[in-house]
């Protein structure tokens, strides 16, 4: 996750560097977790040789990282789709609100103009 402080401008190099470091650390932690899981799996198969266990560990870790990468990419893609949908809907709501305020202002001006005209006609 990349969080930007509220007071940091977008594209701030310090914020970008912090985001990169955070991403690296998260990826490293995930890789280490996958490796531990693979080693636990190999420990339950005592008939494997050391080379076989290392091979299984390597393959398991690679597959787990690939799966996680695919899940993250699909999540990022879906987030982009949702963002676009929300921005489109927000823009439509803003337009509708502006139209309603403009119609209300026009109606108020017509009423004020009508009342002014009526008052001038009655005062004659």
């Amino acid at each position: 996750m990349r969080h930007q402080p509220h007071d940091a401008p977008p594209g701030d190099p310090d914020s970008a560097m912090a985001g990169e470091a955070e991403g690296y650390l998260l990826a490293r932690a995930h890789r280490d977790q996958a490796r531990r899981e693979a080693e636990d799996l190999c420990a339950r198969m005592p008939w494997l040789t050391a080379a076989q266990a290392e091979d299984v560990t390597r393959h398991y870790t690679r597959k787990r990282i690939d799966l996680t990468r695919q899940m993250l990419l699909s999540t990022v893609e879906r987030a982009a789709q949702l963002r676009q949908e929300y921005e489109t809907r927000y823009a439509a709501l803003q337009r509708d609100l502006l139209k309603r305020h403009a119609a209300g202002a026009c109606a108020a001006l017509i009423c004020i103009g009508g009342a002014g005209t009526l008052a001038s006609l009655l005062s004659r």
Side-chain angles (χ1 to χ4, degrees):
M1 291 183 175
R2 292 185 180 185
H3 300 285
Q4 286 193 1
H6 295 292
D7 57 348
D12 181 29
D14 292 337
S15 178
M17 188 182 308
E20 289 295 321
E22 181 182 19
Y24 173 79
L25 292 173
L26 287 172
R28 183 71 182 214
H30 181 75
R31 187 186 63 86
D32 291 344
Q33 176 66 30
R35 185 162 183 85
R36 280 191 301 275
E37 289 173 10
E39 289 169 352
D40 288 344
L41 175 66
C42 290
R44 288 180 279 177
M45 296 186 277
W47 60 88
L48 293 177
T49 65
Q52 289 172 330
E54 185 56 38
D55 195 38
V56 168
T57 299
R58 188 171 29 84
H59 284 294
Y60 178 90
T61 303
R62 172 64 21 217
K63 286 303 258 181
R64 174 80 185 279
I65 289 170
D66 290 343
L67 175 64
T68 300
R69 181 177 290 123
Q70 287 300 318
M71 289 185 340
L72 288 173
L73 289 174
S74 65
T75 300
V76 166
E77 183 178 312
R78 182 63 180 142
Q81 290 172 349
L82 287 174
R83 174 178 286 237
Q84 184 60 44
E85 289 174 19
Y86 290 145
E87 286 177 353
T88 301
R89 180 67 178 142
Y90 184 73
L93 289 172
Q94 279 184 318
R95 279 192 307 276
D96 290 346
L97 186 61
L98 180 61
K99 288 177 187 177
R100 290 177 184 181
H101 277 81
C106 289
L109 287 174
I110 290 170
C111 288
I112 291 170
T117 303
L118 182 62
S120 67
L121 289 174
L122 291 177
S123 66
R124 290 186 184 182

